[in-house]
Amino acid sequence: MIRPAILREEDESPRLGAPGRRKPNKELERLLKAYIEEAGLPPYQKTPDVAWDEDRCRVIAEEFESLDFRDDAELVLDAYRALAREVMAQYRFLSEHYAISPYGDEDPVPYADSAEMMDDVRENRRLWVYTGGDDHAYLSREENFMFRAVHDLFGHAAHGYGFGPMGEENAWVQHSKAFSPLARAALTTETRGQNNWVNCGPHADLPVKDRPYAAQKGALLPENRWVHPVVEKAYRKSPDFLYV
Protein backbone atom coordinates (compact mmCIF):
# COMPACT_ATOMS: atom_id res chain seq x y z
CA MET A 1 0.00 0.00 0.00
CA ILE A 2 2.27 2.76 -1.25
CA ARG A 3 1.36 6.36 -1.94
CA PRO A 4 3.20 8.79 -4.24
CA ALA A 5 6.54 9.99 -2.92
CA ILE A 6 5.39 13.62 -3.10
CA LEU A 7 2.97 12.92 -0.27
CA ARG A 8 5.66 11.78 2.13
CA GLU A 9 6.33 14.44 4.71
CA GLU A 10 8.54 15.45 7.55
CA ASP A 11 6.65 15.63 10.82
CA GLU A 12 6.02 19.15 12.05
CA SER A 13 7.83 18.71 15.35
CA PRO A 14 11.59 19.20 14.87
CA ARG A 15 12.27 16.62 17.57
CA LEU A 16 9.48 14.27 16.53
CA GLY A 17 7.98 14.86 19.94
CA ALA A 18 4.51 15.27 18.45
CA PRO A 19 2.88 13.63 15.43
CA GLY A 20 2.32 16.81 13.43
CA ARG A 21 -1.31 16.29 14.29
CA ARG A 22 -3.97 18.48 12.73
CA LYS A 23 -7.56 18.97 13.81
CA PRO A 24 -9.40 15.63 13.95
CA ASN A 25 -12.40 15.11 11.69
CA LYS A 26 -15.30 14.54 14.08
CA GLU A 27 -17.54 13.02 11.42
CA LEU A 28 -14.91 10.47 10.42
CA GLU A 29 -14.22 9.65 14.05
CA ARG A 30 -17.93 8.98 14.46
CA LEU A 31 -18.03 6.86 11.30
CA LEU A 32 -15.01 4.84 12.43
CA LYS A 33 -16.78 3.98 15.67
CA ALA A 34 -19.97 3.17 13.73
CA TYR A 35 -18.10 0.88 11.34
CA ILE A 36 -16.38 -0.91 14.24
CA GLU A 37 -19.78 -1.52 15.85
CA GLU A 38 -21.28 -2.69 12.55
CA ALA A 39 -18.35 -5.10 12.01
CA GLY A 40 -18.91 -6.67 15.44
CA LEU A 41 -15.51 -5.62 16.80
CA PRO A 42 -14.93 -4.48 20.39
CA PRO A 43 -15.98 -0.86 20.97
CA TYR A 44 -13.40 1.73 19.93
CA GLN A 45 -11.03 2.58 22.78
CA LYS A 46 -9.29 5.94 22.75
CA THR A 47 -5.51 5.79 23.11
CA PRO A 48 -2.88 8.54 23.43
CA ASP A 49 -0.58 9.58 20.61
CA VAL A 50 2.41 7.26 20.43
CA ALA A 51 6.02 8.39 20.27
CA TRP A 52 8.26 7.76 17.30
CA ASP A 53 11.28 5.70 18.31
CA GLU A 54 14.16 5.91 15.80
CA ASP A 55 15.87 2.78 17.15
CA ARG A 56 12.67 0.78 16.84
CA CYS A 57 12.14 2.24 13.38
CA ARG A 58 15.54 0.97 12.24
CA VAL A 59 14.84 -2.51 13.59
CA ILE A 60 11.45 -2.71 11.86
CA ALA A 61 13.04 -1.41 8.65
CA GLU A 62 15.58 -4.25 8.82
CA GLU A 63 12.82 -6.77 9.52
CA PHE A 64 10.87 -5.51 6.51
CA GLU A 65 13.97 -5.62 4.32
CA SER A 66 14.53 -9.28 5.25
CA LEU A 67 10.99 -10.39 4.36
CA ASP A 68 10.45 -12.52 1.27
CA PHE A 69 8.58 -10.86 -1.56
CA ARG A 70 5.99 -13.61 -1.30
CA ASP A 71 5.32 -16.08 1.48
CA ASP A 72 2.73 -18.73 0.74
CA ALA A 73 2.45 -19.93 4.34
CA GLU A 74 -1.16 -20.57 5.35
CA LEU A 75 -1.07 -17.81 7.99
CA VAL A 76 0.12 -15.24 5.44
CA LEU A 77 -2.54 -16.23 2.92
CA ASP A 78 -5.25 -16.10 5.56
CA ALA A 79 -4.04 -12.69 6.78
CA TYR A 80 -4.13 -11.11 3.33
CA ARG A 81 -7.51 -12.64 2.53
CA ALA A 82 -8.85 -11.18 5.77
CA LEU A 83 -7.30 -7.80 4.98
CA ALA A 84 -8.88 -7.75 1.51
CA ARG A 85 -12.34 -8.67 2.87
CA GLU A 86 -12.25 -6.11 5.65
CA VAL A 87 -10.83 -3.34 3.46
CA MET A 88 -13.68 -3.92 1.00
CA ALA A 89 -16.21 -3.69 3.83
CA GLN A 90 -14.68 -0.43 5.05
CA TYR A 91 -14.56 0.97 1.52
CA ARG A 92 -18.23 0.21 0.89
CA PHE A 93 -19.13 1.79 4.23
CA LEU A 94 -17.13 4.96 3.56
CA SER A 95 -18.31 5.24 -0.06
CA GLU A 96 -21.79 5.96 1.26
CA HIS A 97 -20.44 9.17 2.80
CA TYR A 98 -17.50 10.31 0.62
CA ALA A 99 -16.71 10.59 -3.08
CA ILE A 100 -13.55 8.54 -3.67
CA SER A 101 -11.88 9.17 -7.04
CA PRO A 102 -8.78 7.65 -8.69
CA TYR A 103 -5.73 9.35 -10.18
CA GLY A 104 -2.70 7.76 -11.83
CA ASP A 105 0.88 8.52 -12.77
CA GLU A 106 -0.26 10.43 -15.87
CA ASP A 107 -2.46 12.77 -13.81
CA PRO A 108 -1.48 15.81 -11.71
CA VAL A 109 -1.04 14.92 -8.05
CA PRO A 110 -4.14 16.45 -6.44
CA TYR A 111 -2.60 17.24 -3.05
CA ALA A 112 0.69 18.88 -2.10
CA ASP A 113 0.56 17.43 1.40
CA SER A 114 -1.66 15.72 3.94
CA ALA A 115 -3.19 19.03 5.03
CA GLU A 116 -4.67 19.56 1.56
CA MET A 117 -6.00 16.00 1.55
CA MET A 118 -7.65 16.46 4.94
CA ASP A 119 -9.14 19.82 3.91
CA ASP A 120 -10.64 18.25 0.78
CA VAL A 121 -12.17 15.45 2.84
CA ARG A 122 -13.56 17.87 5.41
CA GLU A 123 -14.79 20.62 3.09
CA ASN A 124 -15.79 18.70 -0.04
CA ARG A 125 -16.40 15.17 1.26
CA ARG A 126 -13.99 13.99 -1.44
CA LEU A 127 -10.77 11.97 -1.56
CA TRP A 128 -8.45 11.44 -4.52
CA VAL A 129 -6.56 8.14 -4.35
CA TYR A 130 -3.44 7.00 -6.21
CA THR A 131 -3.83 3.99 -8.53
CA GLY A 132 -0.18 3.42 -9.55
CA GLY A 133 2.69 1.46 -8.08
CA ASP A 134 3.88 -2.11 -8.44
CA ASP A 135 1.59 -5.14 -8.48
CA HIS A 136 1.07 -6.85 -5.14
CA ALA A 137 1.54 -10.55 -4.45
CA TYR A 138 -1.91 -10.93 -2.89
CA LEU A 139 -3.89 -7.72 -3.31
CA SER A 140 -5.42 -6.83 -6.66
CA ARG A 141 -5.07 -3.30 -8.02
CA GLU A 142 -8.66 -2.63 -6.99
CA GLU A 143 -8.09 -3.96 -3.47
CA ASN A 144 -4.92 -1.90 -3.10
CA PHE A 145 -6.80 1.20 -4.28
CA MET A 146 -9.50 0.59 -1.70
CA PHE A 147 -6.85 0.00 0.97
CA ARG A 148 -5.20 3.36 0.28
CA ALA A 149 -8.58 5.07 0.45
CA VAL A 150 -9.73 3.62 3.74
CA HIS A 151 -6.33 4.10 5.37
CA ASP A 152 -6.21 7.76 4.38
CA LEU A 153 -9.72 8.26 5.78
CA PHE A 154 -9.82 6.07 8.88
CA GLY A 155 -6.09 6.16 9.67
CA HIS A 156 -5.09 9.72 8.79
CA ALA A 157 -7.95 12.14 8.14
CA ALA A 158 -10.17 10.96 11.02
CA HIS A 159 -7.50 11.82 13.58
CA GLY A 160 -5.51 14.53 11.78
CA TYR A 161 -2.30 12.53 11.37
CA GLY A 162 0.08 13.58 8.59
CA PHE A 163 2.32 11.46 6.37
CA GLY A 164 5.56 11.89 8.34
CA PRO A 165 7.14 9.15 10.51
CA MET A 166 5.08 9.87 13.62
CA GLY A 167 1.90 10.53 11.70
CA GLU A 168 2.20 7.19 9.89
CA GLU A 169 2.88 5.29 13.13
CA ASN A 170 -0.15 6.86 14.78
CA ALA A 171 -2.35 6.26 11.72
CA TRP A 172 -1.41 2.57 11.85
CA VAL A 173 -2.25 2.43 15.57
CA GLN A 174 -5.68 3.98 15.07
CA HIS A 175 -6.62 2.05 11.94
CA SER A 176 -5.52 -1.23 13.50
CA LYS A 177 -8.50 -0.99 15.86
CA ALA A 178 -10.85 -1.52 12.91
CA PHE A 179 -9.43 -4.91 11.88
CA SER A 180 -9.54 -8.48 13.09
CA PRO A 181 -6.24 -9.94 14.39
CA LEU A 182 -5.55 -11.75 11.11
CA ALA A 183 -6.17 -8.70 8.94
CA ARG A 184 -4.16 -6.54 11.36
CA ALA A 185 -1.13 -8.75 10.76
CA ALA A 186 -1.17 -7.93 7.03
CA LEU A 187 -2.10 -4.29 7.71
CA THR A 188 1.08 -3.97 9.79
CA THR A 189 3.35 -5.06 6.94
CA GLU A 190 1.58 -2.78 4.48
CA THR A 191 1.68 0.34 6.68
CA ARG A 192 4.07 0.12 9.61
CA GLY A 193 6.55 -2.06 7.74
CA GLN A 194 6.64 0.01 4.55
CA ASN A 195 6.76 3.35 6.37
CA ASN A 196 9.55 2.36 8.74
CA TRP A 197 11.56 1.09 5.77
CA VAL A 198 11.10 4.43 3.98
CA ASN A 199 12.02 6.48 7.04
CA CYS A 200 14.80 4.35 8.56
CA GLY A 201 15.82 1.92 5.81
CA PRO A 202 18.78 1.92 3.43
CA HIS A 203 17.73 5.17 1.71
CA ALA A 204 16.87 7.17 4.83
CA ASP A 205 19.79 9.55 4.20
CA LEU A 206 18.05 10.88 1.06
CA PRO A 207 15.57 13.77 1.16
CA VAL A 208 12.08 12.45 1.89
CA LYS A 209 10.77 13.17 -1.62
CA ASP A 210 13.68 11.30 -3.24
CA ARG A 211 13.41 8.04 -1.31
CA PRO A 212 12.25 5.03 -3.34
CA TYR A 213 9.01 3.23 -2.65
CA ALA A 214 9.06 0.28 -0.31
CA ALA A 215 8.55 -3.06 -2.04
CA GLN A 216 5.08 -4.61 -2.17
CA LYS A 217 5.81 -7.70 -0.08
CA GLY A 218 3.30 -10.46 0.56
CA ALA A 219 4.73 -11.49 3.93
CA LEU A 220 4.25 -10.72 7.63
CA LEU A 221 6.45 -8.87 10.07
CA PRO A 222 7.23 -10.65 13.37
CA GLU A 223 4.15 -11.07 15.56
CA ASN A 224 5.42 -8.65 18.23
CA ARG A 225 4.97 -5.82 15.68
CA TRP A 226 1.28 -6.44 15.02
CA VAL A 227 -0.14 -4.71 18.12
CA HIS A 228 1.19 -1.50 19.64
CA PRO A 229 1.50 -1.57 23.46
CA VAL A 230 -1.02 1.26 23.87
CA VAL A 231 -3.61 -0.80 21.95
CA GLU A 232 -2.70 -3.92 23.89
CA LYS A 233 -3.32 -2.03 27.14
CA ALA A 234 -6.58 -0.44 26.00
CA TYR A 235 -8.04 -3.74 24.75
CA ARG A 236 -6.63 -6.02 27.46
CA LYS A 237 -10.15 -7.24 28.28
CA SER A 238 -10.54 -8.43 24.67
CA PRO A 239 -7.58 -10.80 24.16
CA ASP A 240 -9.25 -12.56 21.23
CA PHE A 241 -9.32 -9.21 19.42
CA LEU A 242 -5.60 -8.65 19.91
CA TYR A 243 -3.97 -11.91 18.92
CA VAL A 244 -4.29 -14.46 16.12
Side-chain angles (χ1 to χ4, degrees):
M1 200 246 0
I2 54 175
R3 61 166 53 89
I6 194 171
L7 292 187
R8 296 175 190 151
E9 300 172 336
E10 300 286 358
D11 283 301
E12 291 179 355
S13 169
R15 297 187 299 107
L16 293 177
R21 190 172 184 180
R22 297 170 178 85
K23 183 179 180 181
N25 185 314
K26 296 297 184 183
E27 181 187 27
L28 269 171
E29 287 183 323
R30 177 183 63 79
L31 289 173
L32 174 59
K33 294 174 184 177
Y35 169 79
I36 285 172
E37 181 178 2
E38 181 178 291
L41 299 171
Y44 177 87
Q45 301 297 316
K46 186 175 181 179
T47 54
D49 292 341
V50 302
W52 185 77
D53 184 319
E54 189 170 1
D55 292 335
R56 181 188 61 204
C57 180
R58 290 196 187 100
V59 172
I60 295 176
E62 291 172 359
E63 291 170 345
F64 182 85
E65 178 79 10
S66 68
L67 292 178
D68 294 333
F69 276 86
R70 181 185 177 111
D71 182 345
D72 289 332
E74 184 175 357
L75 177 63
V76 178
L77 295 172
D78 288 345
Y80 274 95
R81 289 178 186 131
L83 179 66
R85 285 195 305 271
E86 293 174 36
V87 160
M88 183 176 293
Q90 292 180 29
Y91 184 87
R92 288 173 175 167
F93 180 88
L94 284 165
S95 294
E96 296 178 1
H97 304 276
Y98 294 91
I100 301 173
S101 302
Y103 75 94
D105 292 320
E106 69 283 0
D107 300 314
V109 177
Y111 309 122
D113 53 29
S114 58
E116 288 192 5
M117 179 273 283
M118 293 181 205
D119 287 345
D120 197 20
V121 171
R122 187 188 307 276
E123 297 168 10
N124 303 310
R125 306 180 68 83
R126 177 181 62 198
L127 176 69
W128 290 93
V129 179
Y130 181 56
T131 61
D134 297 333
D135 289 338
H136 195 283
Y138 298 123
L139 300 177
S140 69
R141 290 246 170 204
E142 182 182 14
E143 289 166 343
N144 215 355
F145 172 84
M146 291 189 290
F147 186 17
R148 292 167 181 162
V150 300
H151 187 64
D152 278 353
L153 290 170
F154 274 162
H156 289 275
H159 315 281
Y161 294 126
F163 297 146
M166 280 198 67
E168 293 288 3
E169 183 78 354
N170 279 275
W172 162 72
V173 167
Q174 296 300 333
H175 202 187
S176 73
K177 301 172 186 178
F179 288 95
S180 69
L182 263 178
R184 191 183 305 122
L187 169 80
T188 301
T189 295
E190 298 297 312
T191 56
R192 196 183 201 192
Q194 288 190 11
N195 291 317
N196 278 271
W197 184 89
V198 167
N199 290 306
C200 295
H203 306 286
D205 57 325
L206 297 175
V208 173
K209 65 182 180 62
D210 295 332
R211 295 173 195 170
Y213 296 126
Q216 296 276 56
K217 294 191 175 184
L220 302 179
L221 286 170
E223 188 172 359
N224 64 335
R225 305 299 180 196
W226 301 351
V227 182
H228 194 281
V230 301
V231 176
E232 187 173 40
K233 181 178 179 181
Y235 289 84
R236 60 188 179 278
K237 294 183 180 179
S238 305
D240 291 344
F241 172 69
L242 294 172
Y243 308 109
V244 174

